[in-house]
Amino acid sequence: MAFTREQVVKIADLGRLHLTESEIESMSKQLTAILGFFEQLEAIDTEGIEPMAHCLPIQNVFREDEKKPGLPPDEALANAPKRVGDFFSVPPILD
Amino acid sequence: MSLIEKTATELVSLLNKGEVTSRELTEAFCDRIAEVEGKVKALLYHDRDGALAQAEAVDLSRKSGKPVGKLAGLPIIVKDILCTKGEPTTCASRMLENFKAPYDAHVISLLQNASSVRIARANMDEFAMGSSCENSAFQKTRNPWNLDCVPGGSSGGSAACIAAKEAPLSLGTDTGGSIRQPAGLCGIVGLKPTYGRVSRFGLVAYASSLDQIGPMARTVEDAALLLEVISGHDERDSTCANLPVPEYSKICRAPKKGLRVGVVTDYFGEGLDPEVEAAVREAVRVLESQGAKIVEVRLPTSKYAIPTYYMVATAEASSNLARYDGVHYGYRAKEYSDLIDMYKKTRGEGFGAEVKRRIMLGTLALSAGRRDAFYVKALQVRRLLRNDYDKAFESCDVVLGPTSPSAAFKIGEKSDDPVAMYLSDIYTVATNLAGLPGLSIPCGFTKSGLPIGLQLQGPAFAEETLLQAGYLYQQATDWHTKTPSL
């Protein structure tokens, strides 16, 4: 399966990745090669096989719903690229 | 014999007998770092004064009669993906270049409780994605056995620092072989525990259903000692098993009567370097002469392990790495037009090429219309892989094979060919998909003097058996005592 420029741009958009022109070009070649390699999975008969998302035989793990200390605001905000008061600052999302 | 030549187990004994202080030992390893780090480039962060202060605190506790933990003041290096409060935790990424973790990973707390001294943070492939350490945004780590070669990855810094004697113990993480492959390529011991053996709290996530933290050391006993310290239940990781922790450091020395070793015939085919094959076959002979019963087993689905792994791991990675959005922490692009553009520029500029490739693959695998053909198909093959192991362990206690298809390759040799790079993990990725433990130990050298790794894999939570088998092998061989001259 060849991976076109348009498909690379579409997937990059879904993954919120800005790619340069040269990255789009190399990515379409490399993804084509990688997906070609992955096509061998099609040869395996998996009819009726339950998918295994997780290897442990555990389902829901519960603990007591107790109040515990969290990060103080200053520590939680210490790594923020931009903060205003006790808030993370982002570009406007509404006009 | 100078202090840095000794094993962790020997050094703990000297510390507990009062024959050496933690400060003296920490100074010795910091001096070694100053001597060889310029050549090896294994470390991203080293704070000599901070390390000496930790060491003095352990010495003071000991002097005043307070209890001292199992690691007794021993220096240790951790992979730069384990959150440590107030220290940089970069994951070798521009994205987290200036990030300082606000809390300690569970394993970091356990290391502190065990009275170890953190002396440095190790280089790695960016966000643990890679097999050569070349994907670090900051530096290329060298293999101490040949400085033109890679140390393996992603825990390449954690492996190289042990081979270079910059520390007696280190922590790595393993999602598809990232402890075992660099351990094999650097001639040291590395153990990937069973999924759930060690808490992942504070480990920066790559692929959450596969990631595990594990010990790297010069000998099996040393790895057992560190595994004993970091294992155990932690309610902050809901996948962490609530099981007792065996005394691995003692149990590994107890002989395992009638050990059955299954040689995986599927591993000895196309793509395996003849020198690696010869060394591994010789290891089988050694184990047999030590009383192990040798049987042949099959893992027929293992030939599909690489594509299966890259589908599952990248799908999980594309979700996990969505958190790097330039809002809460990490890098934010300087110029952008709106919020979406800010996300895209931040991620486009902050991530390196391999990370972007894997986010693309994972996004593709989970995208509408493709999910069943790619992701769900891979999860079905994952179950077949696990079924293979379950069947193999009906006739043996551990399965044996090479850790990697070849010894260390040259820096730059595979960096433009992702598929060739992915194939260097062909014998290790299935262990993670199945959630099982795996151990790599040194089993010889190529003619050009590069180490070769032997891999043992076991059933879930059978770390004891792996360590016993590894210890048995080291009783009859001296590969683990060889160190490179730097």
Side-chain angles (χ1 to χ4, degrees), chain A residues 23 44 50 68 79 89, chain B residues 235 332 356 377 383:
Chain A
E23 281 179 319
I44 313 171
E50 181 70 19
K68 288 186 182 168
N79 284 294
S89 172
Chain B
E235 67 171 19
R332 180 188 285 193
K356 286 188 235 185
K377 178 83 182 182
R383 182 166 304 278

Side-chain angles (χ1 to χ4, degrees), chain B residues 84-126:
Chain B
T84 307
K85 187 169 178 152
E87 280 185 17
T89 302
T90 71
C91 297
S93 179
R94 293 272 169 226
M95 189 61 92
L96 293 177
E97 191 168 4
N98 299 310
F99 177 74
K100 284 191 174 159
Y103 55 82
D104 282 329
H106 187 62
V107 291
I108 297 293
S109 307
L110 291 175
L111 289 182
Q112 268 154 9
N113 296 345
S115 309
S116 69
V117 173
R118 276 180 294 98
I119 58 172
R121 306 182 66 82
N123 194 27
M124 53 186 280
D125 286 296
E126 183 178 6

